[in-house]
Amino acid sequence: MQRREFVQLAALLGSGGGIADALAHHGWSSFDQSRPVYLEGKAADVRWRNPHVELALELPETLRVPADLAQRALPAQTAGVDGPALLAKAVVPTRRDRRWEVELAPLFRLGQW
């Protein structure tokens, strides 16, 4: 079985859930915003559904962080996130898996973004 890696990019989107969401759903304790990973590739499969959007991403053989990544524009955030600083710290993953399973924010928050 292929090992799955969940990259939770939703912290960039800020928080928007209420107490009911917290009682019925997991937290973000495994998400470490101080260690951003840069992924780029072909979306092999996208599942736009609740509770999270998921996609299978096929990475190229050689993956590099774009030199201008920290200067790229980001949508407005609902939480205090220093987007340029976060993007400046992004690195390529040390794992060499070519296919990643990525879990994004809930549909409601992606729609706001």
Side-chain angles (χ1 to χ4, degrees), residues 31-81:
F31 183 82
D32 186 353
Q33 186 172 309
S34 69
R35 296 174 39 197
V37 175
Y38 177 80
L39 297 175
E40 174 184 325
K42 176 184 172 188
D45 184 32
V46 177
R47 294 173 296 279
W48 193 266
R49 60 184 179 190
N50 279 317
H52 295 280
V53 173
E54 299 170 1
L55 64 102
L57 190 63
E58 293 178 355
L59 278 59
E61 241 179 88
T62 57
L63 180 65
R64 292 183 174 82
V65 176
D68 69 339
L69 185 64
Q71 289 77 41
R72 293 184 183 182
L74 291 173
Q77 306 298 313
T78 58
V81 174

mmCIF file of all heavy atoms in Angstrom, residues 31-81:
data_model
loop_
_atom_site.group_PDB
_atom_site.id
_atom_site.type_symbol
_atom_site.label_atom_id
_atom_site.label_comp_id
_atom_site.label_asym_id
_atom_site.label_seq_id
_atom_site.Cartn_x
_atom_site.Cartn_y
_atom_site.Cartn_z
ATOM 1 N N PHE A 31 -0.238 20.079 12.101
ATOM 2 C CA PHE A 31 0.216 21.039 11.103
ATOM 3 C C PHE A 31 1.281 21.931 11.716
ATOM 4 O O PHE A 31 1.096 22.526 12.757
ATOM 5 C CB PHE A 31 -0.958 21.888 10.606
ATOM 6 C CG PHE A 31 -0.563 22.853 9.532
ATOM 7 C CD1 PHE A 31 -0.461 22.440 8.221
ATOM 8 C CD2 PHE A 31 -0.280 24.167 9.835
ATOM 9 C CE1 PHE A 31 -0.090 23.320 7.217
ATOM 10 C CE2 PHE A 31 0.097 25.055 8.843
ATOM 11 C CZ PHE A 31 0.188 24.629 7.537
ATOM 12 N N ASP A 32 2.425 22.031 11.074
ATOM 13 C CA ASP A 32 3.533 22.844 11.560
ATOM 14 C C ASP A 32 3.804 23.951 10.554
ATOM 15 O O ASP A 32 4.496 23.747 9.554
ATOM 16 C CB ASP A 32 4.768 21.973 11.772
ATOM 17 C CG ASP A 32 5.914 22.729 12.416
ATOM 18 O OD1 ASP A 32 5.803 23.981 12.577
ATOM 19 O OD2 ASP A 32 6.912 22.089 12.754
ATOM 20 N N GLN A 33 3.276 25.126 10.812
ATOM 21 C CA GLN A 33 3.403 26.259 9.900
ATOM 22 C C GLN A 33 4.847 26.748 9.799
ATOM 23 O O GLN A 33 5.200 27.433 8.852
ATOM 24 C CB GLN A 33 2.493 27.399 10.359
ATOM 25 C CG GLN A 33 2.457 28.562 9.388
ATOM 26 C CD GLN A 33 1.418 29.583 9.769
ATOM 27 O OE1 GLN A 33 0.269 29.241 10.000
ATOM 28 N NE2 GLN A 33 1.812 30.826 9.851
ATOM 29 N N SER A 34 5.688 26.357 10.735
ATOM 30 C CA SER A 34 7.079 26.814 10.688
ATOM 31 C C SER A 34 7.920 25.985 9.713
ATOM 32 O O SER A 34 9.082 26.298 9.500
ATOM 33 C CB SER A 34 7.705 26.774 12.085
ATOM 34 O OG SER A 34 7.862 25.432 12.509
ATOM 35 N N ARG A 35 7.327 24.934 9.135
ATOM 36 C CA ARG A 35 8.070 24.063 8.211
ATOM 37 C C ARG A 35 7.285 23.851 6.916
ATOM 38 O O ARG A 35 6.870 22.738 6.607
ATOM 39 C CB ARG A 35 8.342 22.730 8.889
ATOM 40 C CG ARG A 35 9.234 22.874 10.097
ATOM 41 C CD ARG A 35 9.412 21.594 10.864
ATOM 42 N NE ARG A 35 9.526 20.434 9.988
ATOM 43 C CZ ARG A 35 9.360 19.192 10.388
ATOM 44 N NH1 ARG A 35 9.074 18.933 11.637
ATOM 45 N NH2 ARG A 35 9.478 18.190 9.546
ATOM 46 N N PRO A 36 7.085 24.916 6.126
ATOM 47 C CA PRO A 36 6.304 24.759 4.886
ATOM 48 C C PRO A 36 7.051 23.929 3.839
ATOM 49 O O PRO A 36 8.265 24.027 3.696
ATOM 50 C CB PRO A 36 6.095 26.189 4.404
ATOM 51 C CG PRO A 36 7.229 26.943 5.001
ATOM 52 C CD PRO A 36 7.540 26.282 6.318
ATOM 53 N N VAL A 37 6.290 23.118 3.130
ATOM 54 C CA VAL A 37 6.826 22.268 2.068
ATOM 55 C C VAL A 37 6.234 22.746 0.746
ATOM 56 O O VAL A 37 5.033 22.979 0.636
ATOM 57 C CB VAL A 37 6.458 20.787 2.314
ATOM 58 C CG1 VAL A 37 6.897 19.913 1.160
ATOM 59 C CG2 VAL A 37 7.071 20.297 3.616
ATOM 60 N N TYR A 38 7.077 22.871 -0.261
ATOM 61 C CA TYR A 38 6.637 23.293 -1.586
ATOM 62 C C TYR A 38 6.381 22.060 -2.444
ATOM 63 O O TYR A 38 7.248 21.211 -2.606
ATOM 64 C CB TYR A 38 7.698 24.172 -2.253
ATOM 65 C CG TYR A 38 7.319 24.580 -3.651
ATOM 66 C CD1 TYR A 38 6.430 25.625 -3.859
ATOM 67 C CD2 TYR A 38 7.831 23.917 -4.749
ATOM 68 C CE1 TYR A 38 6.063 25.994 -5.140
ATOM 69 C CE2 TYR A 38 7.477 24.286 -6.035
ATOM 70 C CZ TYR A 38 6.585 25.319 -6.220
ATOM 71 O OH TYR A 38 6.213 25.683 -7.493
ATOM 72 N N LEU A 39 5.158 21.975 -2.982
ATOM 73 C CA LEU A 39 4.794 20.899 -3.894
ATOM 74 C C LEU A 39 4.266 21.516 -5.183
ATOM 75 O O LEU A 39 3.557 22.521 -5.157
ATOM 76 C CB LEU A 39 3.712 20.004 -3.289
ATOM 77 C CG LEU A 39 4.071 19.245 -2.023
ATOM 78 C CD1 LEU A 39 2.853 18.503 -1.500
ATOM 79 C CD2 LEU A 39 5.215 18.286 -2.271
ATOM 80 N N GLU A 40 4.573 20.885 -6.279
ATOM 81 C CA GLU A 40 4.107 21.332 -7.593
ATOM 82 C C GLU A 40 4.021 20.101 -8.470
ATOM 83 O O GLU A 40 4.848 19.198 -8.371
ATOM 84 C CB GLU A 40 5.120 22.315 -8.172
ATOM 85 C CG GLU A 40 4.846 22.743 -9.580
ATOM 86 C CD GLU A 40 5.957 23.645 -10.118
ATOM 87 O OE1 GLU A 40 6.514 24.437 -9.350
ATOM 88 O OE2 GLU A 40 6.260 23.516 -11.309
ATOM 89 N N GLY A 41 2.996 20.045 -9.289
ATOM 90 C CA GLY A 41 2.899 18.905 -10.179
ATOM 91 C C GLY A 41 1.554 18.824 -10.859
ATOM 92 O O GLY A 41 0.780 19.774 -10.872
ATOM 93 N N LYS A 42 1.267 17.671 -11.403
ATOM 94 C CA LYS A 42 0.027 17.410 -12.123
ATOM 95 C C LYS A 42 -1.011 16.852 -11.153
ATOM 96 O O LYS A 42 -0.737 15.905 -10.416
ATOM 97 C CB LYS A 42 0.288 16.389 -13.234
ATOM 98 C CG LYS A 42 -0.939 15.973 -13.986
ATOM 99 C CD LYS A 42 -0.593 14.895 -14.988
ATOM 100 C CE LYS A 42 -1.852 14.341 -15.611
ATOM 101 N NZ LYS A 42 -1.560 13.169 -16.442
ATOM 102 N N ALA A 43 -2.199 17.445 -11.171
ATOM 103 C CA ALA A 43 -3.297 16.931 -10.349
ATOM 104 C C ALA A 43 -3.855 15.695 -11.048
ATOM 105 O O ALA A 43 -4.515 15.783 -12.076
ATOM 106 C CB ALA A 43 -4.380 17.982 -10.167
ATOM 107 N N ALA A 44 -3.548 14.524 -10.499
ATOM 108 C CA ALA A 44 -3.984 13.268 -11.100
ATOM 109 C C ALA A 44 -5.420 12.934 -10.727
ATOM 110 O O ALA A 44 -6.120 12.263 -11.480
ATOM 111 C CB ALA A 44 -3.058 12.143 -10.660
ATOM 112 N N ASP A 45 -5.860 13.409 -9.568
ATOM 113 C CA ASP A 45 -7.225 13.133 -9.102
ATOM 114 C C ASP A 45 -7.613 14.229 -8.124
ATOM 115 O O ASP A 45 -6.811 14.609 -7.264
ATOM 116 C CB ASP A 45 -7.281 11.767 -8.411
ATOM 117 C CG ASP A 45 -8.691 11.372 -7.997
ATOM 118 O OD1 ASP A 45 -9.651 11.756 -8.697
ATOM 119 O OD2 ASP A 45 -8.826 10.693 -6.968
ATOM 120 N N VAL A 46 -8.832 14.755 -8.256
ATOM 121 C CA VAL A 46 -9.337 15.783 -7.350
ATOM 122 C C VAL A 46 -10.681 15.319 -6.820
ATOM 123 O O VAL A 46 -11.549 14.896 -7.580
ATOM 124 C CB VAL A 46 -9.499 17.143 -8.068
ATOM 125 C CG1 VAL A 46 -10.084 18.178 -7.119
ATOM 126 C CG2 VAL A 46 -8.170 17.613 -8.634
ATOM 127 N N ARG A 47 -10.838 15.380 -5.503
ATOM 128 C CA ARG A 47 -12.101 15.017 -4.860
ATOM 129 C C ARG A 47 -12.610 16.243 -4.109
ATOM 130 O O ARG A 47 -12.157 16.537 -3.013
ATOM 131 C CB ARG A 47 -11.871 13.816 -3.942
ATOM 132 C CG ARG A 47 -11.489 12.563 -4.723
ATOM 133 C CD ARG A 47 -11.089 11.385 -3.855
ATOM 134 N NE ARG A 47 -9.887 11.577 -3.065
ATOM 135 C CZ ARG A 47 -8.635 11.446 -3.508
ATOM 136 N NH1 ARG A 47 -8.414 11.155 -4.771
ATOM 137 N NH2 ARG A 47 -7.603 11.627 -2.707
ATOM 138 N N TRP A 48 -13.521 16.964 -4.719
ATOM 139 C CA TRP A 48 -14.082 18.198 -4.165
ATOM 140 C C TRP A 48 -15.297 17.805 -3.347
ATOM 141 O O TRP A 48 -16.397 17.690 -3.871
ATOM 142 C CB TRP A 48 -14.458 19.136 -5.317
ATOM 143 C CG TRP A 48 -14.752 20.535 -4.901
ATOM 144 C CD1 TRP A 48 -15.971 21.055 -4.611
ATOM 145 C CD2 TRP A 48 -13.806 21.594 -4.741
ATOM 146 N NE1 TRP A 48 -15.856 22.364 -4.267
ATOM 147 C CE2 TRP A 48 -14.532 22.731 -4.337
ATOM 148 C CE3 TRP A 48 -12.423 21.683 -4.874
ATOM 149 C CZ2 TRP A 48 -13.914 23.959 -4.087
ATOM 150 C CZ3 TRP A 48 -11.825 22.896 -4.621
ATOM 151 C CH2 TRP A 48 -12.565 24.018 -4.237
ATOM 152 N N ARG A 49 -15.086 17.534 -2.052
ATOM 153 C CA ARG A 49 -16.173 17.022 -1.218
ATOM 154 C C ARG A 49 -15.925 17.386 0.239
ATOM 155 O O ARG A 49 -14.838 17.791 0.623
ATOM 156 C CB ARG A 49 -16.260 15.506 -1.377
ATOM 157 C CG ARG A 49 -14.975 14.794 -0.950
ATOM 158 C CD ARG A 49 -15.043 13.324 -1.199
ATOM 159 N NE ARG A 49 -13.788 12.690 -0.798
ATOM 160 C CZ ARG A 49 -13.464 11.464 -1.062
ATOM 161 N NH1 ARG A 49 -14.298 10.706 -1.746
ATOM 162 N NH2 ARG A 49 -12.327 10.966 -0.662
ATOM 163 N N ASN A 50 -16.950 17.212 1.039
ATOM 164 C CA ASN A 50 -16.834 17.415 2.473
ATOM 165 C C ASN A 50 -16.214 16.197 3.119
ATOM 166 O O ASN A 50 -16.407 15.090 2.631
ATOM 167 C CB ASN A 50 -18.228 17.655 3.086
ATOM 168 C CG ASN A 50 -18.673 19.082 2.896
ATOM 169 O OD1 ASN A 50 -17.894 20.004 3.077
ATOM 170 N ND2 ASN A 50 -19.935 19.257 2.532
ATOM 171 N N PRO A 51 -15.480 16.310 4.188
ATOM 172 C CA PRO A 51 -15.215 17.568 4.883
ATOM 173 C C PRO A 51 -14.038 18.342 4.303
ATOM 174 O O PRO A 51 -13.868 19.512 4.610
ATOM 175 C CB PRO A 51 -14.884 17.123 6.302
ATOM 176 C CG PRO A 51 -14.245 15.783 6.125
ATOM 177 C CD PRO A 51 -14.952 15.162 4.944
ATOM 178 N N HIS A 52 -13.212 17.731 3.450
ATOM 179 C CA HIS A 52 -12.055 18.407 2.873
ATOM 180 C C HIS A 52 -11.915 18.060 1.400
ATOM 181 O O HIS A 52 -12.250 16.968 0.979
ATOM 182 C CB HIS A 52 -10.750 17.969 3.558
ATOM 183 C CG HIS A 52 -10.655 18.356 4.979
ATOM 184 N ND1 HIS A 52 -10.299 19.621 5.380
ATOM 185 C CD2 HIS A 52 -10.881 17.665 6.117
ATOM 186 C CE1 HIS A 52 -10.311 19.685 6.697
ATOM 187 N NE2 HIS A 52 -10.661 18.508 7.166
ATOM 188 N N VAL A 53 -11.362 18.989 0.664
ATOM 189 C CA VAL A 53 -10.974 18.703 -0.709
ATOM 190 C C VAL A 53 -9.685 17.898 -0.639
ATOM 191 O O VAL A 53 -8.805 18.183 0.163
ATOM 192 C CB VAL A 53 -10.763 20.016 -1.495
ATOM 193 C CG1 VAL A 53 -10.196 19.732 -2.874
ATOM 194 C CG2 VAL A 53 -12.067 20.793 -1.586
ATOM 195 N N GLU A 54 -9.602 16.877 -1.470
ATOM 196 C CA GLU A 54 -8.404 16.053 -1.523
ATOM 197 C C GLU A 54 -7.935 15.988 -2.972
ATOM 198 O O GLU A 54 -8.748 15.993 -3.882
ATOM 199 C CB GLU A 54 -8.697 14.632 -1.039
ATOM 200 C CG GLU A 54 -9.184 14.570 0.391
ATOM 201 C CD GLU A 54 -9.695 13.185 0.750
ATOM 202 O OE1 GLU A 54 -9.649 12.276 -0.110
ATOM 203 O OE2 GLU A 54 -10.142 13.011 1.881
ATOM 204 N N LEU A 55 -6.630 15.930 -3.151
ATOM 205 C CA LEU A 55 -6.131 15.741 -4.502
ATOM 206 C C LEU A 55 -4.895 14.864 -4.478
ATOM 207 O O LEU A 55 -4.153 14.836 -3.503
ATOM 208 C CB LEU A 55 -5.842 17.074 -5.199
ATOM 209 C CG LEU A 55 -4.747 17.963 -4.640
ATOM 210 C CD1 LEU A 55 -3.497 17.831 -5.495
ATOM 211 C CD2 LEU A 55 -5.214 19.400 -4.646
ATOM 212 N N ALA A 56 -4.731 14.123 -5.551
ATOM 213 C CA ALA A 56 -3.530 13.327 -5.746
ATOM 214 C C ALA A 56 -2.650 14.131 -6.677
ATOM 215 O O ALA A 56 -3.061 14.504 -7.773
ATOM 216 C CB ALA A 56 -3.874 11.980 -6.355
ATOM 217 N N LEU A 57 -1.444 14.430 -6.227
ATOM 218 C CA LEU A 57 -0.528 15.272 -6.973
ATOM 219 C C LEU A 57 0.681 14.455 -7.399
ATOM 220 O O LEU A 57 1.328 13.819 -6.575
ATOM 221 C CB LEU A 57 -0.081 16.436 -6.078
ATOM 222 C CG LEU A 57 0.693 17.572 -6.702
ATOM 223 C CD1 LEU A 57 -0.146 18.291 -7.755
ATOM 224 C CD2 LEU A 57 1.140 18.544 -5.629
ATOM 225 N N GLU A 58 0.944 14.448 -8.700
ATOM 226 C CA GLU A 58 2.111 13.746 -9.238
ATOM 227 C C GLU A 58 3.223 14.759 -9.452
ATOM 228 O O GLU A 58 3.109 15.643 -10.297
ATOM 229 C CB GLU A 58 1.752 13.043 -10.545
ATOM 230 C CG GLU A 58 0.768 11.921 -10.334
ATOM 231 C CD GLU A 58 0.356 11.237 -11.632
ATOM 232 O OE1 GLU A 58 0.773 11.695 -12.729
ATOM 233 O OE2 GLU A 58 -0.390 10.260 -11.548
ATOM 234 N N LEU A 59 4.296 14.646 -8.674
ATOM 235 C CA LEU A 59 5.408 15.574 -8.729
ATOM 236 C C LEU A 59 6.345 15.234 -9.882
ATOM 237 O O LEU A 59 6.501 14.070 -10.228
ATOM 238 C CB LEU A 59 6.200 15.535 -7.421
ATOM 239 C CG LEU A 59 5.671 16.353 -6.248
ATOM 240 C CD1 LEU A 59 4.274 15.939 -5.845
ATOM 241 C CD2 LEU A 59 6.617 16.263 -5.080
ATOM 242 N N PRO A 60 6.986 16.255 -10.450
ATOM 243 C CA PRO A 60 7.979 15.988 -11.491
ATOM 244 C C PRO A 60 9.222 15.340 -10.875
ATOM 245 O O PRO A 60 9.422 15.383 -9.662
ATOM 246 C CB PRO A 60 8.300 17.381 -12.039
ATOM 247 C CG PRO A 60 7.989 18.307 -10.917
ATOM 248 C CD PRO A 60 6.838 17.680 -10.177
ATOM 249 N N GLU A 61 10.055 14.761 -11.720
ATOM 250 C CA GLU A 61 11.276 14.120 -11.235
ATOM 251 C C GLU A 61 12.180 15.103 -10.504
ATOM 252 O O GLU A 61 12.763 14.781 -9.478
ATOM 253 C CB GLU A 61 12.040 13.489 -12.405
ATOM 254 C CG GLU A 61 12.194 12.007 -12.254
ATOM 255 C CD GLU A 61 12.919 11.406 -13.424
ATOM 256 O OE1 GLU A 61 14.163 11.365 -13.379
ATOM 257 O OE2 GLU A 61 12.232 10.988 -14.359
ATOM 258 N N THR A 62 12.302 16.287 -11.052
ATOM 259 C CA THR A 62 13.103 17.320 -10.390
ATOM 260 C C THR A 62 12.164 18.421 -9.939
ATOM 261 O O THR A 62 11.431 18.998 -10.742
ATOM 262 C CB THR A 62 14.171 17.899 -11.336
ATOM 263 O OG1 THR A 62 13.527 18.415 -12.494
ATOM 264 C CG2 THR A 62 15.174 16.836 -11.738
ATOM 265 N N LEU A 63 12.170 18.679 -8.665
ATOM 266 C CA LEU A 63 11.298 19.699 -8.079
ATOM 267 C C LEU A 63 12.174 20.744 -7.417
ATOM 268 O O LEU A 63 13.074 20.408 -6.642
ATOM 269 C CB LEU A 63 10.363 19.053 -7.056
ATOM 270 C CG LEU A 63 9.394 19.976 -6.341
ATOM 271 C CD1 LEU A 63 8.393 20.572 -7.337
ATOM 272 C CD2 LEU A 63 8.651 19.211 -5.254
ATOM 273 N N ARG A 64 11.926 21.998 -7.737
ATOM 274 C CA ARG A 64 12.676 23.105 -7.148
ATOM 275 C C ARG A 64 11.698 24.183 -6.687
ATOM 276 O O ARG A 64 10.668 24.396 -7.317
ATOM 277 C CB ARG A 64 13.636 23.698 -8.169
ATOM 278 C CG ARG A 64 14.773 22.779 -8.543
ATOM 279 C CD ARG A 64 15.724 23.464 -9.518
ATOM 280 N NE ARG A 64 16.888 22.635 -9.772
ATOM 281 C CZ ARG A 64 16.935 21.624 -10.631
ATOM 282 N NH1 ARG A 64 15.859 21.305 -11.320
ATOM 283 N NH2 ARG A 64 18.037 20.939 -10.804
ATOM 284 N N VAL A 65 12.070 24.866 -5.625
ATOM 285 C CA VAL A 65 11.287 26.006 -5.163
ATOM 286 C C VAL A 65 11.560 27.164 -6.124
ATOM 287 O O VAL A 65 12.726 27.499 -6.354
ATOM 288 C CB VAL A 65 11.683 26.404 -3.727
ATOM 289 C CG1 VAL A 65 10.924 27.645 -3.291
ATOM 290 C CG2 VAL A 65 11.432 25.249 -2.757
ATOM 291 N N PRO A 66 10.522 27.777 -6.687
ATOM 292 C CA PRO A 66 10.744 28.914 -7.588
ATOM 293 C C PRO A 66 11.439 30.061 -6.857
ATOM 294 O O PRO A 66 11.119 30.358 -5.700
ATOM 295 C CB PRO A 66 9.328 29.321 -8.007
ATOM 296 C CG PRO A 66 8.487 28.122 -7.754
ATOM 297 C CD PRO A 66 9.113 27.423 -6.586
ATOM 298 N N ALA A 67 12.367 30.701 -7.515
ATOM 299 C CA ALA A 67 13.136 31.787 -6.902
ATOM 300 C C ALA A 67 12.240 32.944 -6.463
ATOM 301 O O ALA A 67 12.539 33.619 -5.485
ATOM 302 C CB ALA A 67 14.198 32.285 -7.881
ATOM 303 N N ASP A 68 11.130 33.159 -7.162
ATOM 304 C CA ASP A 68 10.255 34.291 -6.848
ATOM 305 C C ASP A 68 9.069 33.910 -5.954
ATOM 306 O O ASP A 68 8.139 34.697 -5.799
ATOM 307 C CB ASP A 68 9.735 34.919 -8.135
ATOM 308 C CG ASP A 68 8.769 34.015 -8.883
ATOM 309 O OD1 ASP A 68 8.789 32.778 -8.659
ATOM 310 O OD2 ASP A 68 7.980 34.533 -9.700
ATOM 311 N N LEU A 69 9.091 32.742 -5.350
ATOM 312 C CA LEU A 69 7.931 32.276 -4.584
ATOM 313 C C LEU A 69 7.508 33.270 -3.506
ATOM 314 O O LEU A 69 6.326 33.560 -3.350
ATOM 315 C CB LEU A 69 8.212 30.902 -3.963
ATOM 316 C CG LEU A 69 7.033 30.263 -3.232
ATOM 317 C CD1 LEU A 69 5.900 29.955 -4.208
ATOM 318 C CD2 LEU A 69 7.468 28.997 -2.508
ATOM 319 N N ALA A 70 8.440 33.814 -2.751
ATOM 320 C CA ALA A 70 8.104 34.729 -1.653
ATOM 321 C C ALA A 70 7.497 36.043 -2.142
ATOM 322 O O ALA A 70 6.824 36.729 -1.377
ATOM 323 C CB ALA A 70 9.341 35.018 -0.812
ATOM 324 N N GLN A 71 7.698 36.382 -3.410
ATOM 325 C CA GLN A 71 7.147 37.627 -3.948
ATOM 326 C C GLN A 71 5.777 37.435 -4.601
ATOM 327 O O GLN A 71 5.153 38.404 -5.017
ATOM 328 C CB GLN A 71 8.103 38.238 -4.991
ATOM 329 C CG GLN A 71 9.369 38.817 -4.400
ATOM 330 C CD GLN A 71 10.388 37.774 -4.015
ATOM 331 O OE1 GLN A 71 10.596 36.809 -4.736
ATOM 332 N NE2 GLN A 71 11.013 37.939 -2.859
ATOM 333 N N ARG A 72 5.307 36.215 -4.694
ATOM 334 C CA ARG A 72 4.017 35.970 -5.352
ATOM 335 C C ARG A 72 2.861 36.463 -4.491
ATOM 336 O O ARG A 72 2.898 36.393 -3.273
ATOM 337 C CB ARG A 72 3.857 34.481 -5.653
ATOM 338 C CG ARG A 72 4.861 34.024 -6.690
ATOM 339 C CD ARG A 72 4.663 32.593 -7.066
ATOM 340 N NE ARG A 72 5.680 32.159 -8.011
ATOM 341 C CZ ARG A 72 5.724 30.957 -8.533
ATOM 342 N NH1 ARG A 72 4.816 30.054 -8.220
ATOM 343 N NH2 ARG A 72 6.684 30.649 -9.376
ATOM 344 N N ALA A 73 1.830 36.958 -5.163
ATOM 345 C CA ALA A 73 0.653 37.484 -4.469
ATOM 346 C C ALA A 73 -0.161 36.346 -3.865
ATOM 347 O O ALA A 73 -0.301 35.279 -4.465
ATOM 348 C CB ALA A 73 -0.207 38.284 -5.440
ATOM 349 N N LEU A 74 -0.696 36.591 -2.679
ATOM 350 C CA LEU A 74 -1.578 35.640 -2.013
ATOM 351 C C LEU A 74 -2.929 36.295 -1.782
ATOM 352 O O LEU A 74 -2.993 37.506 -1.562
ATOM 353 C CB LEU A 74 -1.000 35.225 -0.655
ATOM 354 C CG LEU A 74 0.251 34.367 -0.671
ATOM 355 C CD1 LEU A 74 0.776 34.186 0.741
ATOM 356 C CD2 LEU A 74 -0.042 33.026 -1.300
ATOM 357 N N PRO A 75 -4.000 35.526 -1.776
ATOM 358 C CA PRO A 75 -5.312 36.094 -1.442
ATOM 359 C C PRO A 75 -5.309 36.608 -0.006
ATOM 360 O O PRO A 75 -4.488 36.196 0.818
ATOM 361 C CB PRO A 75 -6.268 34.899 -1.575
ATOM 362 C CG PRO A 75 -5.535 33.924 -2.440
ATOM 363 C CD PRO A 75 -4.085 34.123 -2.150
ATOM 364 N N ALA A 76 -6.225 37.510 0.297
ATOM 365 C CA ALA A 76 -6.357 38.037 1.658
ATOM 366 C C ALA A 76 -6.629 36.892 2.632
ATOM 367 O O ALA A 76 -7.321 35.932 2.292
ATOM 368 C CB ALA A 76 -7.487 39.062 1.704
ATOM 369 N N GLN A 77 -6.087 37.001 3.819
ATOM 370 C CA GLN A 77 -6.240 35.960 4.841
ATOM 371 C C GLN A 77 -7.164 36.456 5.948
ATOM 372 O O GLN A 77 -7.212 37.646 6.239
ATOM 373 C CB GLN A 77 -4.878 35.606 5.435
ATOM 374 C CG GLN A 77 -3.838 35.220 4.419
ATOM 375 C CD GLN A 77 -4.218 33.991 3.630
ATOM 376 O OE1 GLN A 77 -4.640 32.988 4.185
ATOM 377 N NE2 GLN A 77 -4.082 34.054 2.319
ATOM 378 N N THR A 78 -7.876 35.524 6.588
ATOM 379 C CA THR A 78 -8.731 35.889 7.718
ATOM 380 C C THR A 78 -7.984 35.769 9.036
ATOM 381 O O THR A 78 -8.472 36.183 10.062
ATOM 382 C CB THR A 78 -9.987 35.000 7.765
ATOM 383 O OG1 THR A 78 -9.562 33.636 7.862
ATOM 384 C CG2 THR A 78 -10.849 35.189 6.546
ATOM 385 N N ALA A 79 -6.802 35.202 9.015
ATOM 386 C CA ALA A 79 -5.982 35.080 10.220
ATOM 387 C C ALA A 79 -4.661 35.798 9.978
ATOM 388 O O ALA A 79 -4.266 36.021 8.839
ATOM 389 C CB ALA A 79 -5.739 33.605 10.549
ATOM 390 N N GLY A 80 -3.988 36.121 11.055
ATOM 391 C CA GLY A 80 -2.703 36.801 10.953
ATOM 392 C C GLY A 80 -1.621 35.866 10.445
ATOM 393 O O GLY A 80 -0.966 35.196 11.230
ATOM 394 N N VAL A 81 -1.446 35.811 9.141
ATOM 395 C CA VAL A 81 -0.440 34.949 8.531
ATOM 396 C C VAL A 81 0.482 35.832 7.698
ATOM 397 O O VAL A 81 0.009 36.612 6.875
ATOM 398 C CB VAL A 81 -1.088 33.880 7.629
ATOM 399 C CG1 VAL A 81 -0.033 33.084 6.895
ATOM 400 C CG2 VAL A 81 -1.985 32.974 8.437
#
